[in-house]
């Protein structure tokens, strides 16, 4: 049985949504998944046509042959199936009305995407994002002036049957905003363009002194968590300015303009947002665990990508397990929709748990050769009987390398399938990446990839946090670097002594693990700097042709395409 999961990306009132994606589930197992942006080359693209076709082609089928097309939507009342089918046809998917299944809640889809991908038979799942579906009938044309899903808690069980039951809802009234929206408001105030830049606020927060860490951005009232920022969808920056002025009694300008220098004030406001979010999430999870007695937890929604908060949840709550699906943003809706249809609607048993995010299709040798031949005037293909050894040697000499291996990652993190790699021992690695290659702000850190065997030696991680499928295997946990080793890998240590660590297991990615191990043999360091394979403003590369084009545009020293070593042709 084939189920195609997608997310609808335009509402009935004409609001365009983002982060389109598709997943093809065969007999309960995700076989292939991709975000639309990887194919259109436009970040946060809000369509699903190319992603759907990619999945269908990879599995040798067509849209009329799949059994179900499972969908969800955001910022809207959940639509009837015939409306959803019509919307898909407008996007170029020739579906029948009777194929389409509508998941009845955006947050339910998020919860399914995490719990049903986890290894747990029961779990508390917290969903925190900007907003989900309209609750009840629409009373206002502007979706944000209605009651909305904003932060929800679910009790999830499976075994003889699957149940995903909402047990709490926070911030869902028309005059409220969510945890994710509050972080978005402050991200905008800090001069970043959208909630997609929330990671920059998280990075900036590490520079704060913490003088406002105890500010009450969120508070509990009668068992519900409320944000003290007012709902001002069209005036986010002004809302933050007014609240900060009232809270601290100081006169403030209307936020930072994009490109303006970052001041100590901006550090402190970012620190306020981060510490408030951490406390709120810790409280939400703690209360849910105490009320239900369930000690395994899943996180979903865009807020689950906050790796600093994730580390505190993993470390401070003494849980029996924590799982975060790596496509936790709306890209993950496609997976949640397909899994919910298989398990909950059809009542089928669970056959899969997510230990790797490499759900893109692999590219064959002929496709890779054809892409290389298309750039023949600009590149040299260097034969090597030992590509892994050759690349490890180049990295040890300070070169920066594009690494393309197998199927691409599902989600926003580069996990050794589409990565740019460098030597973490050299501060100049980060400097060159910032100034010449990635062209990004110096306050943002780069991630380390470390072999599972050495992870606890170099980073403050427990055995449970290192296990396959744990948050650190998806680069979703920021852990302290061991203090006595920080000086040895300065290019990946953030200003607060932490790193967004990526633990690499040989069973999940043998080639990438082998590369790190060869680098260790040469240098004594079982760590590589790892950042996403994309130039500033572009999505992560998908195809061999994408990889060669970005490799040349960014000026990398060499490129590996599934064992083929490529260097720029010297003129």
């Amino acid at each position: 049985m084939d189920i195609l999961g997608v997310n609808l990306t335009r509402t009935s009132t004409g609001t365009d949504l983002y982060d389109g994606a598709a997943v093809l589930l065969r007999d309960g197992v995700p076989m292939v998944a991709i975000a639309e942006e990887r194919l259109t080359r436009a970040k946060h693209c809000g369509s699903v046509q190319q992603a759907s076709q990619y999945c269908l082609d990879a599995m040798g089928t067509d849209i009329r042959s799949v059994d179900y097309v499972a969908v969800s939507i955001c910022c809207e009342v959940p639509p009837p199936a015939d409306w959803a089918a019509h919307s898909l046809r407008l996007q170029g998917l020739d579906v029948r009305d009777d194929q389409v299944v509508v998941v009845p809640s955006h947050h339910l889809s998020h919860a399914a995407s995490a719990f049903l991908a986890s290894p747990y038979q029961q779990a508390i799942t917290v969903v925190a994002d900007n907003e989900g579906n309209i609750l009840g009938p629409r009373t206002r044309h502007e979706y944000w002036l209605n009651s909305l899903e904003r932060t929800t808690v679910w009790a999830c069980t499976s075994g003889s049957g699957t149940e995903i039951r909402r047990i709490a809802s926070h911030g869902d009234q028309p005059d409220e905003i969510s945890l994710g929206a509050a972080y978005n408001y402050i991200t905008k105030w800090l001069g970043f363009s959208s909630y997609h830049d929330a990671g920059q606020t998280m990075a900036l927060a590490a520079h704060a002194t913490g003088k406002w860490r105890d500010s009450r951005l969120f508070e509990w009232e009668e068992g519900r968590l409320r944000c003290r920022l007012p709902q001002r969808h069209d005036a986010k920056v002004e809302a933050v300015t007014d609240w900060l002025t009232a809270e601290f009694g100081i006169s403030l300008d209307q936020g930072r303009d994009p490109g303006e220098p970052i001041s100590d004030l901006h550090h402190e406001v970012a620190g306020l947002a981060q510490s408030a979010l951490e406390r709120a999430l810790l409280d939400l999870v703690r209360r849910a665990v105490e009320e239900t007695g369930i000690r395994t937890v899943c996180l979903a929604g865009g807020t689950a990508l906050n790796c600093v908060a994730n580390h505190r949840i993993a470390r401070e709550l003494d849980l029996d397990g924590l799982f975060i699906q790596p496509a936790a943003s709306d890209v993950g809706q496609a997976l949640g929709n397909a899994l919910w249809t298989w398990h909950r609607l059809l009542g089928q048993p669970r056959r899969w748990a997510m230990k790797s995010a490499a759900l893109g299709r692999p590219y064959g040798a002929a496709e890779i050769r054809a892409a290389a031949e298309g750039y023949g005037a600009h590149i040299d293909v260097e034969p090597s009987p030992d590509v892994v050894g050759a690349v490890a040697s180049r990295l040890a000499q300070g070169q920066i390398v594009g690494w393309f291996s197998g199927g691409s990652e599902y989600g926003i993190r580069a996990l050794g399938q589409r990565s740019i790699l460098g030597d973490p021992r050299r501060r100049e690695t980060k400097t060159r990446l910032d100034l010449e290659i990635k062209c990004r702000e110096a306050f943002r850190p780069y991630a380390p990839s470390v072999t599972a065997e050495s992870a606890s030696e170099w980073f403050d991680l427990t055995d449970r946090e290192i296990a396959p499928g744990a948050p650190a295997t998806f680069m979703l946990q920021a852990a302290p670097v061991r203090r006595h080793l920080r000086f040895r890998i300065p290019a990946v240590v953030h200003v607060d002594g932490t790193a967004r660590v990526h633990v690499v297991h040989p069973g999940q990615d043998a080639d990438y693990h082998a590369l790190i191990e060869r680098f260790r043999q040469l240098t004594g360091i079982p760590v590589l700097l790892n950042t996403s394979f994309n130039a500033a403003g572009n999505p992560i590369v998908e195809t061999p042709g994408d990889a060669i084009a970005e490799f040349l545009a960014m000026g990398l020293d060499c490129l590996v395409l599934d064992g083929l070593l490529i260097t720029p042709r010297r003129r």
Side-chain angles (χ1 to χ4, degrees):
M1 179 177 287
D2 285 344
I3 301 171
L4 180 70
V6 297
N7 48 338
L8 300 176
T9 57
R10 188 176 179 85
T11 71
S12 62
T13 57
T15 299
D16 287 322
L17 307 173
Y18 303 103
D19 294 330
V23 172
L24 200 144
L25 205 71
R26 178 161 288 176
D27 293 337
V29 178
M31 306 302 294
V32 61
I34 194 166
E36 184 83 356
E37 67 169 26
R38 299 285 185 106
L39 303 170
T40 64
R41 311 306 303 151
K43 288 198 81 169
H44 306 296
C45 182
S47 176
V48 297
Q49 193 277 327
Q50 290 193 42
S52 298
Q53 196 60 50
Y54 171 101
C55 292
L56 295 167
D57 290 345
M59 297 307 297
T61 189
D62 59 76
I63 191 64
R64 287 297 182 116
S65 298
V66 301
D67 297 277
Y68 295 96
V69 180
V71 307
S72 60
I73 197 168
C74 186
C75 309
E76 174 67 275
V77 177
D82 58 349
W83 185 94
H86 175 71
S87 178
L88 290 174
R89 287 192 289 268
L90 291 177
Q91 291 195 40
L93 293 182
D94 186 25
V95 298
R96 303 184 311 273
D97 288 2
D98 64 352
Q99 283 179 294
V100 175
V101 172
V102 178
V103 178
S105 157
H106 181 85
H107 275 210
L108 172 60
S109 175
H110 271 313
S113 78
F115 172 63
L116 294 174
S118 80
Y120 311 136
Q121 292 300 304
Q122 65 173 359
I124 291 297
T125 300
V126 175
V127 178
D129 61 3
N130 278 322
E131 58 263 325
N133 285 135
I134 293 173
L135 296 171
R138 180 192 290 268
T139 59
R140 300 289 296 273
H141 177 82
E142 299 88 347
Y143 73 85
W144 59 89
L145 296 179
N146 295 272
S147 293
L148 286 167
E149 295 177 311
R150 291 195 172 97
T151 305
T152 54
V153 183
W154 305 75
C156 308
T157 58
S158 62
S160 58
T162 296
E163 182 180 26
I164 304 176
R165 177 173 53 90
R166 183 165 57 193
I167 59 173
S169 182
H170 303 274
D172 55 13
Q173 296 306 301
D175 62 339
E176 294 182 290
I177 63 173
S178 65
L179 302 185
Y183 208 85
N184 175 29
Y185 277 34
I186 292 175
T187 295
K188 294 279 285 186
W189 189 90
L190 290 167
F192 305 120
S193 60
S194 81
Y195 65 86
H196 294 121
D197 297 312
Q200 300 195 44
T201 300
M202 181 177 66
L204 202 62
H207 295 260
T209 65
K211 70 176 183 178
W212 290 339
R213 70 163 57 94
D214 296 326
S215 299
R216 293 184 304 113
L217 181 60
F218 305 105
E219 58 188 4
W220 289 87
E221 294 181 0
E222 298 178 349
R224 299 180 75 247
L225 186 64
R226 289 181 56 93
C227 179
R228 296 177 65 222
L229 278 173
Q231 163 64 271
R232 293 173 69 180
H233 182 86
D234 291 327
K236 298 178 177 66
V237 171
E238 292 81 356
V240 175
T241 298
D242 292 347
W243 182 79
L244 290 171
T245 301
E247 185 76 3
F248 302 112
I250 56 177
S251 178
L252 297 171
D253 293 330
Q254 292 295 316
R256 170 178 170 265
D257 292 328
E260 179 185 340
I262 294 172
S263 69
D264 290 343
L265 174 64
H266 301 131
H267 294 157
E268 299 303 339
V269 173
L272 182 161
Q274 179 63 33
S275 60
L277 178 70
E278 291 171 17
R279 285 199 310 276
L281 286 172
L282 281 165
D283 281 346
L284 276 173
V285 175
R286 183 185 294 109
R287 289 184 182 219
V289 168
E290 290 174 352
E291 290 169 5
T292 64
I294 299 172
R295 305 197 60 79
T296 45
V297 172
C298 301
L299 303 179
T303 302
L305 298 172
N306 192 297
C307 57
V308 178
N310 295 342
H311 182 71
R312 291 194 63 186
I313 292 169
R315 189 53 58 90
E316 296 181 25
L317 295 186
D318 190 30
L319 302 174
D320 291 340
L322 176 66
F323 178 81
I324 307 167
Q325 193 264 110
S329 70
D330 281 0
V331 166
Q333 291 274 304
L335 179 63
N337 297 338
L339 289 172
W340 181 87
T341 300
W342 173 258
H343 294 295
R344 186 70 183 93
L345 184 67
L346 302 178
Q348 295 294 326
R350 294 173 67 176
R351 298 178 175 173
W352 172 80
M354 191 174 200
K355 294 184 179 179
S356 169
L359 289 174
R361 78 166 182 87
Y363 290 83
E367 292 176 290
I368 293 172
R369 284 197 302 270
E373 289 169 0
Y375 287 90
H378 306 285
I379 63 174
D380 290 317
V381 179
E382 297 188 1
S384 174
D386 179 14
V387 171
V388 168
V391 172
S393 178
R394 286 173 176 266
L395 288 165
Q397 295 167 28
Q399 291 194 17
I400 296 179
V401 176
W403 181 263
F404 181 110
S405 177
S408 59
E409 305 92 339
Y410 184 49
I412 67 169
R413 304 295 187 213
L415 301 173
Q417 285 75 48
R418 304 289 187 272
S419 292
I420 294 173
L421 307 176
D423 185 346
R425 302 172 301 164
R426 304 169 187 261
R427 294 184 186 275
E428 57 267 29
T429 302
K430 180 177 179 350
T431 302
R432 184 181 168 200
L433 283 165
D434 288 341
L435 297 180
E436 300 176 14
I437 294 174
K438 297 289 283 190
C439 301
R440 71 186 214 181
E441 300 90 341
F443 68 81
R444 298 170 61 189
Y446 292 98
S449 291
V450 60
T451 59
E453 300 88 334
S454 299
S456 63
E457 175 189 355
W458 286 77
F459 303 93
D460 182 8
L461 291 169
T462 65
D463 289 345
R464 179 178 291 154
E465 292 164 350
I466 293 168
T473 63
F474 298 124
M475 204 187 289
L476 289 171
Q477 185 171 350
V481 184
R482 298 293 184 190
R483 188 176 296 275
H484 67 288
L485 295 173
R486 292 175 187 174
F487 77 99
R488 299 186 67 185
I489 51 173
V492 296
V493 181
H494 199 25
V495 65
D496 60 356
T498 67
R500 190 181 67 212
V501 64
H502 169 216
V503 175
V504 182
H505 291 266
Q508 270 65 59
D509 194 339
D511 290 344
Y512 190 41
H513 183 277
L515 175 65
I516 303 172
E517 178 59 20
R518 292 291 288 275
F519 184 79
R520 182 198 64 78
Q521 293 170 9
L522 293 172
T523 66
I525 308 292
V527 178
L528 288 177
L529 181 150
N530 173 15
T531 187
S532 55
F533 196 163
N534 60 296
N538 292 347
I540 298 175
V541 300
E542 166 58 26
T543 69
D546 296 338
I548 297 172
E550 293 282 67
F551 155 70
L552 292 170
M554 288 189 288
L556 302 179
D557 297 306
C558 77
L559 167 66
V560 177
L561 285 178
D562 269 339
L564 200 66
L565 185 63
I566 293 173
T567 55
R569 178 161 294 174
R570 306 302 177 187
R571 297 185 182 278

